[in-house]
Amino acid sequence: MHTLIPFAAPAGPQCQEALPRLELPYLAELLELLTPTPPLLGAEDSLSPLFERVHAKSLGLQGADGLLPWAALDARQLGLTRTHGDTGWAWITPCHWQINADHVAMDHPESLALDVHEIDALRAAMQPYFAEDGITLHALNHSTWLAQGELLRELPTASLARACGPRVDQWMPRAPQARSLRRLQNEMQMLLYRHPVNDARAAQRRLTVNSFWISGTGALPQSALEKSDTMSVQHSLEAAALRDDAHAWTQAWQTLDATLLSTLLRQAKAGQAFELTLCGERMAASFVLQNTAWWNRIQRRFTTPTPAELLATL
């Protein structure tokens, strides 16, 4: 099993300031037993975050920046690619945009906590507008739809993890074919303003849905093989990291250390093989358990970085 921990060292200034004080005793002991492998490098301005590239690589998914076909993979798993043929797919996520004088902000759409009746009603209202651009919306889960349409095949889009925060604007799709989607977003703002779902939510003092985010675009190549997912992606650091909430992020790390990493430490001491990847914005550092002679382990104790030192490089 390969364990991936995204947002191990987020770029937010508050989380970065908390890094030197982060104490993770189980991770520290685990690093002394593991052997590093060549890292993968990333960039803070990429549409596809580094942790998504690492996960995609484990699944054999290929695509340019912003074109990792996550939605197409979901469509195949649901059997939709057999009935709808070779086309483009995307995730459409209803969200709440906070419009400010000089920027647009967005909290993670999960905070809306839409129920099944709300999201179905919104999809029914929005579908005719998407259909005008050749896009069909399919139900997926309580927060996201699958969109199908040729327009989505070669449309680079930013991950939802990029868009959440104070600057949605910089992550908007810029390709020429995105013009119709920007028009759709404007139309949805007008449609949703007085939608019954939003009227009920506003009466309950809950955030309303006033836009949508598009991500996971692309098409599965014909050569793509069905491959079982052997990677466990741990998302427990994500919410706090996206808010740059250093206190919550530190607590989440300490909980992860006391649970998952303590379990991996026991496995390492028992000689059970696994791979661990800690992912930041600039680098993904991976480690494996190898049968290393005892004197090499002792030597590594003098060169192994502390967790804080390691995370500072990610």
Side-chain angles (χ1 to χ4, degrees):
M1 176 61 73
H2 187 168
T3 299
L4 171 63
I5 302 179
F7 300 97
Q14 301 303 319
C15 290
Q16 283 289 313
E17 185 179 350
L19 262 179
R21 302 186 299 276
L22 191 61
E23 295 185 4
L24 304 171
Y26 291 105
L27 177 58
E29 191 174 352
L30 187 58
L31 291 175
E32 293 176 353
L33 302 177
L34 300 180
T35 300
T37 63
L40 288 176
L41 302 181
E44 295 180 20
D45 60 353
S46 62
L47 299 174
S48 302
L50 182 55
F51 78 88
E52 289 191 4
R53 286 176 44 208
V54 173
H55 192 192
K57 182 180 178 181
S58 76
L59 291 168
L61 286 182
Q62 298 181 351
D65 187 34
L67 281 170
L68 294 176
W70 295 113
L73 183 63
D74 278 344
R76 183 171 70 178
Q77 291 171 342
L78 291 174
L80 294 173
T81 53
R82 291 195 299 270
T83 56
H84 296 282
D86 178 30
T87 186
W89 295 87
W91 285 329
I92 300 291
T93 306
C95 57
H96 176 84
W97 285 4
Q98 180 179 334
I99 312 298
N100 299 288
D102 59 347
H103 68 280
V104 179
M106 181 174 75
D107 289 335
H108 199 289
E110 289 285 349
S111 64
L112 290 171
L114 294 168
D115 64 35
V116 64
H117 302 294
E118 290 176 321
I119 197 160
D120 285 349
L122 292 172
R123 181 167 63 93
M126 295 165 69
Q127 172 59 84
Y129 294 84
F130 280 79
E132 292 178 4
D133 289 290
I135 298 173
T136 302
L137 300 179
H138 302 268
L140 179 61
N141 56 42
H142 71 282
S143 64
T144 302
W145 305 309
L146 280 177
Q148 165 216 342
E150 194 59 27
L151 174 67
L152 310 171
R153 179 186 293 274
E154 298 291 342
L155 176 66
T157 53
S159 166
L160 189 59
R162 291 298 197 211
C164 294
R167 294 286 175 182
V168 171
D169 321 50
Q170 65 180 337
W171 298 111
M172 294 289 289
R174 303 298 180 191
Q177 63 268 41
R179 288 194 295 269
S180 59
L181 289 170
R182 290 195 292 272
R183 173 183 52 76
L184 268 173
Q185 283 175 324
N186 291 332
E187 290 176 348
M188 292 307 95
Q189 288 179 1
M190 294 184 286
L191 171 72
L192 296 171
Y193 180 67
R194 297 301 301 175
H195 191 278
V197 166
N198 278 334
D199 288 344
R201 291 179 67 89
Q204 299 166 6
R205 298 185 181 277
R206 301 169 67 198
L207 286 178
T208 57
V209 176
N210 60 9
S211 192
F212 64 87
W213 191 253
I214 180 170
S215 60
T217 42
L220 283 176
Q222 293 183 352
S223 59
L225 300 175
E226 293 199 35
K227 188 176 180 180
S228 59
D229 194 352
T230 59
M231 176 173 283
S232 172
V233 184
Q234 302 294 314
H235 290 286
S236 54
L237 304 179
E238 181 171 348
L242 292 176
R243 299 194 309 269
D244 195 24
D245 185 338
H247 178 71
W249 177 76
T250 299
Q251 285 189 322
W253 240 131
Q254 291 172 340
T255 298
L256 203 56
D257 188 63
T259 53
L260 171 67
L261 294 176
S262 66
T263 299
L264 291 181
L265 179 60
R266 289 195 297 270
Q267 293 178 5
K269 290 180 176 179
Q272 299 178 27
F274 62 86
E275 185 171 359
L276 172 66
T277 298
L278 307 176
C279 196
E281 290 282 8
R282 299 168 300 196
M283 187 173 74
S286 294
F287 303 85
V288 295
L289 182 67
Q290 294 182 343
N291 292 324
T292 309
W294 67 270
W295 56 82
N296 287 338
R297 290 187 179 183
I298 291 176
Q299 185 179 30
R300 282 211 309 276
R301 287 177 183 271
F302 296 98
T303 59
T304 300
T306 66
E309 290 170 341
L310 172 65
L311 297 179
T313 67
L314 299 183

